[in-house]
Amino acid sequence: MNLENKIVIVTGSGSGIGAATAKLFSAHEAITIVADINLDNAKKTVSEIVKQGGTATASKVDVTQYDEVEKLIRSTVQTHGKLDVMVNNAGIGGKQQLKTADHTHEDWHNVIAVNQTGVFYCMKTALQQMSKQGHGSIVNVASLAGLKASGNNLSYSASKFAVVGMTKSAALEYARKNIRINAVCPGFTHSALLNQLLASAPNMDEKLKRFIPMGRFGEADEIAEAICWLASENSKFITGQTITLDGGTSL
């Protein structure tokens, strides 16, 4: 993958899929801005990248705050002169797994704010810059829950279906401007969100794996590979697409 000297922002990259993605971009000699609401976690990711000989900086951002997103992208462009790739990975799950009638207002508003509105803010601001410079690639991290029904998970599912829709709509709008927008849709993948789900009921690990033909959960590094490929010139005729990485679950 040709990513050398690309200027890349990865949100939610203090841990999990985001951290794995930031590290992989850096391994391919991109210059990576590790953005996370938890600055200590972001700095930890940067430290690991630098130890491996990569180039990265940490930035604190709350994607639910438009002014913070604007500041992140503005400072990136002021420092590096451009923004080649925006990876919108920051996301959360609801605190409780409940049916729709019992779904809490708190979970609805918090999850939608991060997973849907946060992606909109990042796309909006990144696209303004990419339109000015005449190129760019955006990769949104959606979910298998954004492609098929996910019970007891309304706000998360709604937000990820929205991410898929926003990806396709924006890709249609900006294809002639040399800007590509795609999404990845991971299935059950080792992460803080999966750990939260596994802790929600006894034997949840075994129950979930029954639905995965490959019989295992995904790894963050495997999702990162797809993200970096979509962001690279290796996929330059691909836009508006979702790549499902789920070990066959959707089958």
Side-chain angles (χ1 to χ4, degrees):
M1 288 182 283
N2 182 12
L3 292 164
E4 185 177 357
N5 295 322
K6 297 288 188 184
I7 307 302
V8 180
I9 295 175
V10 184
T11 66
S13 47
S15 62
I17 292 171
T21 301
K23 292 172 188 176
L24 188 58
F25 270 114
S26 297
H28 285 286
E29 300 184 33
I31 298 167
T32 310
I33 292 82
V34 177
D36 200 281
I37 194 170
N38 186 317
L39 185 58
D40 289 338
N41 284 351
K43 288 180 177 178
K44 181 180 177 182
T45 300
V46 168
S47 176
E48 292 172 1
I49 288 171
V50 172
K51 284 180 182 177
Q52 297 299 316
T55 303
T57 56
S59 183
K60 185 179 186 300
V61 64
D62 178 351
V63 297
T64 71
Q65 302 302 310
Y66 185 60
D67 59 337
E68 292 191 26
V69 173
E70 279 191 311
K71 181 181 178 182
L72 170 66
I73 293 176
R74 184 171 62 250
S75 64
T76 297
V77 175
Q78 287 174 345
T79 302
H80 301 285
K82 61 176 181 171
L83 173 62
D84 295 303
V85 178
M86 183 84 200
V87 179
N88 296 315
N89 167 74
I92 62 172
K95 291 182 179 179
Q96 301 180 63
Q97 302 291 310
L98 299 169
K99 292 183 178 179
T100 301
D102 302 314
H103 201 80
T104 68
H105 289 209
E106 178 186 20
D107 273 351
W108 175 266
H109 291 297
N110 289 344
V111 172
I112 295 298
V114 176
N115 296 7
Q116 181 173 339
T117 304
V119 171
F120 163 63
Y121 286 167
C122 290
M123 287 178 65
K124 174 181 171 65
T125 313
L127 284 166
Q128 290 172 351
Q129 172 58 32
M130 290 174 177
S131 295
K132 290 177 185 176
Q133 66 194 27
H135 74 275
S137 179
I138 295 175
V139 182
N140 295 323
V141 178
S143 171
L144 182 59
L147 296 173
K148 61 188 296 293
S150 178
N152 299 333
N153 209 14
L154 186 73
S155 56
Y156 186 78
S157 185
S159 69
K160 294 303 185 178
F161 266 93
V163 169
V164 170
M166 290 190 291
T167 297
K168 291 181 178 293
S169 294
L172 179 63
E173 295 168 352
Y174 290 90
R176 292 185 182 275
K177 296 183 179 294
N178 198 29
I179 300 170
R180 297 186 302 108
I181 306 162
N182 293 287
V184 294
C185 293
F188 299 113
T189 303
H190 285 295
S191 64
L193 283 178
L194 179 60
N195 291 341
Q196 180 181 333
L197 181 59
L198 294 178
S200 66
N203 303 318
M204 184 60 78
D205 183 292
E206 295 177 10
K207 291 176 183 177
L208 293 180
K209 285 180 180 176
R210 292 192 198 120
F211 294 101
I212 307 172
M214 286 189 178
R216 67 172 179 87
F217 299 130
E219 300 294 340
D221 290 347
E222 295 170 325
I223 313 305
E225 289 280 357
I227 293 171
C228 288
W229 180 74
L230 284 172
S232 75
E233 293 301 307
N234 298 66
S235 60
K236 60 186 178 182
F237 199 50
I238 296 177
T239 194
Q241 301 304 304
T242 58
I243 292 184
T244 305
L245 302 102
D246 67 353
T249 305
S250 53
L251 299 176

